[in-house]
Amino acid sequence: MVPEAMRAAYILKKNSATRPHSEYSHLKPIDAEAIIRAARETGVVVTAEEHQIGALAWRVSGILTESPQLYGSPFITGAIGVKDRSETRVPPGS
């Protein structure tokens, strides 16, 4: 997912739509101030996970919603990753 995220950052920069980006290989420690600053400065925060959407998106969303610095500030969040695809099927009438 990192190459795709870097490619997206390059395309945005090439089209004069510069946006800060951060890269995390672990959830702890996470730079909450950088995430809050990005939301405040850009109005958009998107997470990209190379597996099922979840841990990073939830962590970032929690930081954003609990931040008093962002109360009353409009911003959009999004998450990119693998959609949950359960292969377990329950037979009808079970």
Side-chain angles (χ1 to χ4, degrees):
M1 187 62 73
V2 172
E4 288 85 355
M6 295 303 293
R7 189 172 21 254
Y10 171 78
I11 291 168
L12 287 169
K13 185 175 181 179
K14 184 176 162 185
N15 292 308
S16 300
T18 57
R19 297 287 187 236
H21 75 279
S22 298
E23 196 176 309
Y24 298 100
S25 60
H26 297 86
L27 292 178
K28 292 183 181 179
I30 195 164
D31 190 350
E33 288 303 315
I35 293 167
I36 293 165
R37 187 172 45 255
R40 197 173 42 239
E41 291 175 2
T42 67
V44 178
V45 176
V46 177
T47 61
E49 300 180 64
E50 58 187 354
H51 46 75
Q52 185 173 325
I53 296 170
L56 179 61
W58 295 331
R59 178 102 161 125
V60 169
S61 293
I63 289 168
L64 295 174
T65 57
E66 294 172 5
S67 170
Q69 300 166 352
L70 294 175
Y71 290 167
S73 300
F75 59 89
I76 298 169
T77 62
I80 300 169
V82 177
K83 301 291 184 193
D84 186 14
R85 296 177 296 188
S86 177
E87 296 298 323
T88 305
R89 295 192 179 155
V90 178
S94 294

